[in-house]
Amino acid sequence: MKKRESPLPFALMLALGGCSLAPAYQPPATPSAQTYRDLGPWVAAQPSDQAPRDHWWQLYADGDLDALQAKLLANNADLAAALAHYQQAQAYALQARSGLFPQLGSGATGVRERQSDHAPPMRNPNAPADYDVYSVGAQASYEVDLWGRVRNTVEAGRDNALAAAADLASAQLSLQAQLADNYVQLRGLDQQIELLQQTIQAYEKALKLTQTLHAGGIVSGLDVSRAQTQLADARSQSSQALAQRTLIQDAIAVLVGENAANFQLPARTELMVVPVIPLDVPSTLLQRRPDVAAAERRVAAANAGIGVARAAWFPSLTLNAQAGFQSTGWANLLTAGNRIWALGPTLAFDLFDGGYRKAAVAAAKAKTDEAGATYRGVVLTAFQQVQDNLALLDHLGEARANQKDAADAAQHALDLSMSQYKHGAVSYLDVVQAQTTALQEKRGLLQLDTQRLRASVQLIRALGGGWSVEQLARK
């Protein structure tokens, strides 16, 4: 009766094959609040009420901005570089995954050899000293992952690839927000330039009035000089605004991948409205920011690296197999008598390494601590950015209401001063002061509108745009 083999060795191998020396992973704890402190122009987000998943800038309802964002996705050089980096990370993950499978190879050789006359013969003593050796065969090897080294390497590679995917999303979000911010500034400058052009026209009329009154001997030449000064100053401000617009336009050209010398956006002065932004509770921010997701995946990858470093303390077991044919001539190479084969395991263990493995484990633990601290810092920065931009929107909204009252009052004062000046009731100095104040208050109002729009863009960026951590599963 044939003796039945015990299943214990196989069970032991399977048990060892499932072993992992990496610590149980838990994302680092981070402080979080239940609500945001400031109030502002947003609504509580519902499950179906988020910023558009891939086109959050459509909240601004601007066709030109939509077209520019499409060009950015297609042509931006920095985004292309981030995509290439992600593709590298994917390739490295696939390289690591190959360790889960046997390595197969084949080869053929044909060499002429000579054995020494004075060394012990390696062949039949009657055989010639010079001879040919031909061989053809295949070999296979497989590392039995007893301690989880391969699996943890694969896990670290996968987590690094996921982090790179989140980095790509973060780079895309950053560039999209930068483009939207520049576009908002450009439209704000268009409004200021239009205001300055209207102001220049009003000042030209005022100058003609003073020149007419001066010609009639009603006012002195001082009034004419003051009117000329105001006009020249307004023209200077207009030139400065045009210069700023050119710089912003050139920055947009680079973002959309076009030559600044050939790129031009026509002026538009329509008022852009600050959108209503759906806002989740603070804890969901960790799921909506790609940079937070990237930092968390790097903690997981570093944690798996501890398992890889620890596995070096234990023996490695490799199963090897080789088979083929060997002969002194090609003619009869593939015959049964020329068959060769080898089969057996290799067990390797480092007895002394001068502290290398101990240092590697310490380095892996320190890397995990570093990644955890970086993750906590990214999370805290994310909360700060949301809170800061909420506060900006809140307080700038109040400031805009007050600024609007100030601009209206300054315009009324200017109208009164011009009317009284025409009747000789006030000096032109009063008109100049009223003109200066009115222009400052109107420009201040336009600048506040631009600041609020920019704060809304940065708030959407701080909230993660339309991105969520669920997208990592689709990479």
Side-chain angles (χ1 to χ4, degrees), residues 294-317:
E296 187 274 331
R297 284 294 85 198
R298 288 194 169 91
V299 179
N303 186 77
I306 296 177
V308 175
R310 285 176 173 174
W313 284 98
F314 299 89
S316 63
L317 175 63

Side-chain angles (χ1 to χ4, degrees), residues 337-418:
N338 292 327
R339 287 180 302 169
I340 58 171
W341 61 268
L343 177 66
T346 300
L347 190 66
F349 178 67
D350 292 329
L351 297 177
F352 178 75
D353 61 6
Y356 178 86
R357 288 170 293 177
K358 181 179 180 181
V361 172
K365 290 180 177 178
K367 184 177 181 179
T368 303
D369 292 340
E370 178 189 12
T374 299
Y375 170 74
R376 287 189 290 270
V378 171
V379 170
L380 291 175
T381 299
F383 287 134
Q384 177 198 352
Q385 289 173 347
V386 174
Q387 185 62 57
D388 287 351
N389 286 289
L390 286 174
L392 273 176
L393 281 170
D394 184 21
H395 297 303
L396 288 177
E398 296 178 1
R400 198 229 181 245
N402 294 325
Q403 186 69 31
K404 180 65 167 59
D405 292 339
D408 291 343
Q411 181 60 47
H412 182 64
L414 175 58
D415 293 340
L416 287 176
S417 64
M418 283 299 297

Side-chain angles (χ1 to χ4, degrees), residues 412-435:
H412 182 64
L414 175 58
D415 293 340
L416 287 176
S417 64
M418 283 299 297
S419 177
Q420 292 175 353
Y421 177 72
K422 290 176 182 178
H423 295 86
V426 297
S427 70
Y428 198 76
L429 179 59
D430 296 313
V431 175
V432 169
Q433 292 174 342
Q435 287 175 332

